[in-house]
Amino acid sequence: MTSTLVTGIGELTTNDEELGRPSDAALVLVGDRIAWVGAAAAAPDADHRVDVGGRAVLPGWVDSHTHLVFAGDRTAEFEARMAGKPYAAGGIATTVHATRSASDEELAATVRRLVREAVAQGTTTLETKTGYGLTTADEVRSARIAAEHVDEVTFLGAHLVPPGADADEYVALVVGDMLAAVAPHVRWADVFCEKGAFDADQSRAVLEACADRGLGLRVHGNQLGEGPGVALAVELSAASVDHCTYLSAADVDALAGSTTVATLLPACDLSTRQSLPPARTLLDAGATVALASNCNPGSSYTTSMAFCVATAVLQMGLTVQEAVYAATKAGAVALRREDVGHLAVGARADLHVLDAPSVTHLAYRPGVPLTHAVWRKGERVV
């Protein structure tokens, strides 16, 4: 296999306790893995050499929460929200109608476009969900299309009760024929446990059925107000509970005492004009906090993990290093992945090179496109 020496690294963020954040470092990539990490002066020979000229290198972003399989546009809804109309979960139905009407190729083209956009900004691992079909056939095709383009796929048949459907009858479909058809195409299952979507009992039924089918669990919870989502996620040992915008003290304690990651979606909170989640409180309590884009057409139409990192630093009280960790290693933990989100021997060779000497510039120069180069699975893609 061909080897590549990446040298001239001004600051290397490894997310590895032993390696830390060395300066004047180098990496050797062999195939799709990292084969060596250390001081540039001690670097071994390789087939190819790339000098990044003193730039900062960090792991590729791990975006652990997106909704990329959709059709249609919700610009009018966004405009109305900016004029004062509150966000409500029911807006999802607009996207459901458009998605059902789109062809497979139209849906795949949107996914490809958004994945390219994310990769160009340093994202190298992506999760995405179904949930804009809400029929068995449409959920299956969403899962199949997603699996062709992203690393991790989540079944979100329980995103919303379709207009005109009975909630309990729809839950029975989700945990029955729909789950049976979609399960072979996905690794994860999710539920929108929220007022206007699914209550605690309905959410539990979905999650328990999906766990019985061997799927890992995720939860949309506590987005629009305090509710049962966090407690349910922790009780069922879900890998993550996402949003966490409104948390009680008991919710914080539960997350801190669990392996469930609190995945925060600050771009969504800004877009819906809600409070930003209590990131500092969660970290200080000992919870694991991840950041993700929540890219979707209704409440967070962005693929920029750098924007999420800058927001976490400038408005949520995280240090730069905490925010970068949340958008890389903690995202990997939320996906139960040990191969991504860090730069150490044996990790997947996913590198994000900034056109800056330090990751601090991600918040110091917010909104400035700083991605200089990206390697994904050992291949340079930017």
Side-chain angles (χ1 to χ4, degrees), residues 10-373:
E11 175 192 80
L12 178 63
T13 298
T14 65
N15 290 338
D16 182 274
E17 290 185 4
E18 293 185 6
L19 295 171
R21 295 170 59 221
S23 57
D24 194 22
L27 296 161
V28 174
L29 318 180
V30 177
D32 67 350
R33 298 286 154 171
I34 296 173
W36 183 89
V37 184
D45 292 332
D47 298 319
H48 303 287
R49 179 187 178 100
V50 178
D51 189 329
V52 298
R55 293 178 172 88
V57 175
L58 63 155
W61 303 126
V62 179
D63 193 348
S64 62
H65 184 127
T66 75
H67 303 255
L68 304 184
V69 187
F70 67 86
D73 180 89
R74 286 162 69 181
T75 304
E77 176 189 323
F78 176 80
E79 185 176 7
R81 195 160 64 243
M82 295 305 99
K85 182 179 179 180
Y87 174 76
I92 294 165
T94 302
T95 302
V96 170
H97 176 74
T99 302
R100 289 176 176 176
S101 300
S103 69
D104 286 12
E105 179 49 37
E106 287 170 332
L107 295 178
T110 295
V111 177
R112 288 193 296 267
R113 173 176 61 84
L114 293 170
V115 169
R116 285 195 303 268
E117 186 177 283
V119 171
Q121 300 173 84
T123 298
T124 52
T125 302
L126 272 161
E127 180 268 6
T128 203
K129 307 175 193 299
T130 70
Y132 291 129
L134 308 188
T135 68
T136 298
D138 284 305
E139 287 294 292
V140 169
R141 74 166 180 152
S142 294
R144 176 176 48 78
I145 290 167
E148 293 173 356
H149 298 95
V150 304
D151 302 84
E152 301 279 345
V153 183
T154 300
F155 170 46
L156 185 57
H159 199 184
L160 190 75
V161 178
D166 175 82
D168 290 333
E169 290 179 0
Y170 182 69
V171 169
L173 172 65
V174 169
V175 302
D177 292 347
M178 189 182 290
L179 173 59
V182 176
H185 304 281
V186 302
R187 183 183 175 207
W188 300 98
D190 200 341
V191 61
F192 193 7
C193 182
E194 193 67 68
K195 182 178 180 181
F198 296 89
D199 65 23
D201 290 340
Q202 293 162 343
S203 297
R204 178 186 296 278
V206 170
L207 294 170
E208 289 181 343
C210 290
D212 287 344
R213 290 295 300 241
L215 300 183
L217 303 182
R218 327 188 71 74
V219 176
H220 280 59
N222 298 58
Q223 177 187 3
L224 304 179
E226 290 184 21
V230 167
L232 186 59
V234 170
E235 177 192 342
L236 298 180
S237 299
S240 71
V241 55
D242 302 11
H243 286 290
C244 296
T245 309
Y246 299 96
L247 301 179
S248 66
D251 291 329
V252 173
D253 289 344
L255 287 164
S258 76
T259 59
T260 299
V261 175
T263 300
L264 311 183
L265 313 172
C268 177
D269 295 308
L270 291 174
S271 176
T272 55
R273 289 192 167 170
Q274 297 185 97
S275 301
L276 288 164
R280 183 76 265 155
T281 299
L282 285 164
L283 281 179
D284 289 346
T288 300
V289 170
L291 292 170
S293 73
N294 190 27
C295 181
N296 76 83
S299 63
S300 186
Y301 200 9
T302 182
T303 53
S304 177
M305 290 290 284
F307 174 72
C308 297
V309 166
T311 300
V313 175
L314 297 173
Q315 299 191 54
M316 295 164 63
L318 271 62
T319 68
V320 175
Q321 288 72 38
E322 287 170 337
V324 168
Y325 186 93
T328 53
K329 178 70 175 198
V333 175
L335 293 172
R336 299 299 188 252
R337 296 282 295 258
E338 298 182 353
D339 59 331
V340 297
H342 64 112
L343 299 177
V345 173
R348 203 168 83 178
D350 293 350
L351 312 182
H352 184 192
V353 184
L354 300 182
D355 198 8
S358 168
V359 293
T360 300
H361 283 239
L362 290 162
Y364 181 46
R365 305 193 68 208
V368 177
L370 293 178
T371 298
H372 173 75

